Amino acid sequence: MVYALPYICRPMDTKHALLQVAVEIFADSGWRGTTTRRVAEAAGVNEVTLFRHFGSKEMLLQAAIQWVAARDLPPRLPETPEHLGTELLGWGLGIHMHATRHAKVIRTALAEFEEHPELAPVACEGSASAGEDAVRYLTRARELGLIAYEGSLEAATMMLMQAIFMDGITRGVVSGCDLLPADEAVRAFVDLTLRALDARVVA
């Protein structure tokens, strides 16, 4: 596969180009196959320029993974919950879109975690932030009496996010993992989570 950007129109675009190309090569070739020479050549610069921006291959790949992890995340949930089902569905669809859009690089990163554990924290930054937001939202819902007072909100959030995330990165790749259309699957995950929390208002 040839990795090439049409052009780099301004010097300020170089860093972005290097990140984009590094992500594409990493998704296809993993850690070992992503060399600084390949990335520099595909981005239309020399290795000296790459090292000036990132210092090392390790720093480049960590920055590239972090860049992906922070992209296309759902907007924050409302400060005050009003329509639990609708609001959580929108959030869940955002999580699913992120996982689906970046599924290839996410799957590659997951496969590299054991050998390169330093990737895990940066790869999970965006998801961790989204999860904290959901716990905050559900805590407020509980304070307002919209969900039951029993049950761990952290565990409920983890189960919901992991169900959505796994559906997103396996859809169309693992046979039998897409029994429902994506939007119906996310709606079902949200509905089951709210039922488990004995939501007073589901719609």
Side-chain angles (χ1 to χ4, degrees):
M1 181 178 291
V2 176
Y3 304 91
L5 298 176
Y7 57 87
I8 298 174
C9 59
R10 300 186 303 275
M12 65 181 293
D13 293 329
T14 301
K15 187 171 184 178
H16 178 272
L18 288 166
L19 288 171
Q20 181 175 321
V21 170
V23 165
E24 293 172 357
I25 296 176
F26 175 78
D28 281 333
S29 305
W31 182 279
R32 293 181 186 276
T34 307
T35 66
T36 54
R37 176 175 294 182
R38 288 182 69 188
V39 173
E41 288 178 354
V45 301
N46 57 44
E47 282 187 277
V48 173
T49 299
L50 183 152
F51 288 126
R52 187 168 67 245
H53 282 284
F54 295 101
S56 66
K57 170 180 170 175
E58 290 73 16
M59 292 175 67
L60 168 65
L61 286 181
Q62 287 189 42
I65 298 302
Q66 187 174 37
W67 179 63
V68 170
R71 296 179 68 191
D72 307 314
L73 289 171
R76 281 179 57 84
L77 285 156
E79 292 299 319
T80 302
E82 293 184 5
H83 307 287
L84 297 182
T86 301
E87 291 162 357
L88 277 176
L89 176 60
W91 174 87
L93 289 171
I95 295 289
H96 194 278
M97 183 188 72
H98 171 82
T100 303
R101 183 168 293 176
H102 304 295
K104 190 173 183 181
V105 68
I106 291 171
R107 291 193 297 267
T108 302
L110 289 171
E112 296 282 2
F113 280 0
E114 185 171 359
E115 189 171 348
H116 297 282
E118 69 276 9
L119 291 179
V122 294
C124 296
E125 273 186 16
S127 295
S129 176
E132 290 170 1
D133 185 44
V135 171
R136 186 267 313 159
Y137 173 87
L138 290 174
T139 299
R140 183 60 180 146
R142 175 169 283 173
E143 292 169 353
L144 294 171
L146 299 177
I147 58 176
Y149 285 92
E150 296 79 23
S152 168
L153 299 181
E154 291 77 10
T157 298
M158 287 173 60
M159 288 191 296
L160 177 57
M161 287 190 70
Q162 289 175 12
I164 295 171
F165 178 78
M166 288 304 296
D167 184 90
I169 67 169
T170 59
R171 182 166 290 271
V173 177
V174 180
S175 178
C177 287
D178 50 0
L179 300 177
L180 293 171
D183 58 340
E184 290 185 26
V186 175
R187 186 182 298 277
F189 296 149
V190 169
D191 180 68
L192 288 168
T193 300
L194 290 177
R195 290 180 188 279
L197 292 172
D198 193 21
R200 305 295 188 259
V201 180
V202 177

